[in-house]
Amino acid sequence: MSDEAVKFRLHFTPKVRKQLRLLPLQVQKQYDKAFQIIASEGPEYRSLRTHRYRYKKGEVWGSAASMALRFYWEYAGEQTILIEGIDSH
C-alpha cells in the first residue's frame, strides 16, 4: 500500500500487538485486511460496520474485521488512529 493511498496512519498499543502475534495466522490475516481498509478508506467504509461508544472519559469506536472479530480504536490525531483492543464475539 503506497502512502498516497493512506488516509489514516494506524498505531497499535503494546497489548494489541501482543494479542495479534498470539492469534492463528488465518485470524491475523482477517485483522490485517480490516486494518488496511480502515487505513486506506477510512472508518466510514461500509463493511467495517463502525460504531461509536460513548463513555464518561470520551468515546471509543468499534469496527468489524469479520462477522465475529472486532477491534476498538480512537482518533489520536487528525490522520492517526490508535488501535486499543481486539476481541471476538
Side-chain angles (χ1 to χ4, degrees):
M1 179 170 31
S2 71
D3 276 349
E4 294 172 5
V6 175
K7 285 186 178 181
F8 292 94
R9 299 214 182 273
L10 304 183
H11 294 278
F12 298 83
T13 64
K15 178 183 174 184
V16 170
R17 287 183 193 272
K18 182 178 179 181
Q19 288 175 315
L20 288 169
R21 279 194 309 266
L22 297 174
L23 293 172
L25 188 57
Q26 177 90 9
V27 176
Q28 287 180 29
K29 286 181 181 181
Q30 289 177 301
Y31 276 114
D32 285 343
K33 183 177 179 183
F35 295 148
Q36 287 176 2
I37 290 171
I38 199 169
S40 64
E41 302 294 332
E44 66 278 353
Y45 193 77
R46 188 175 174 96
S47 72
L48 293 174
R49 298 184 310 279
T50 300
H51 297 283
R52 178 174 47 190
Y53 302 96
R54 292 188 180 167
Y55 295 98
K56 290 180 183 177
K57 296 179 182 180
E59 55 189 30
V60 173
W61 297 80
S63 298
S66 72
M67 291 299 285
L69 303 174
R70 294 196 63 75
F71 59 98
Y72 299 93
W73 55 274
E74 67 179 40
Y75 289 104
E78 193 172 305
Q79 292 180 304
T80 306
I81 290 176
L82 176 64
I83 309 294
E84 298 179 330
I86 60 173
D87 76 0
S88 60
H89 51 267

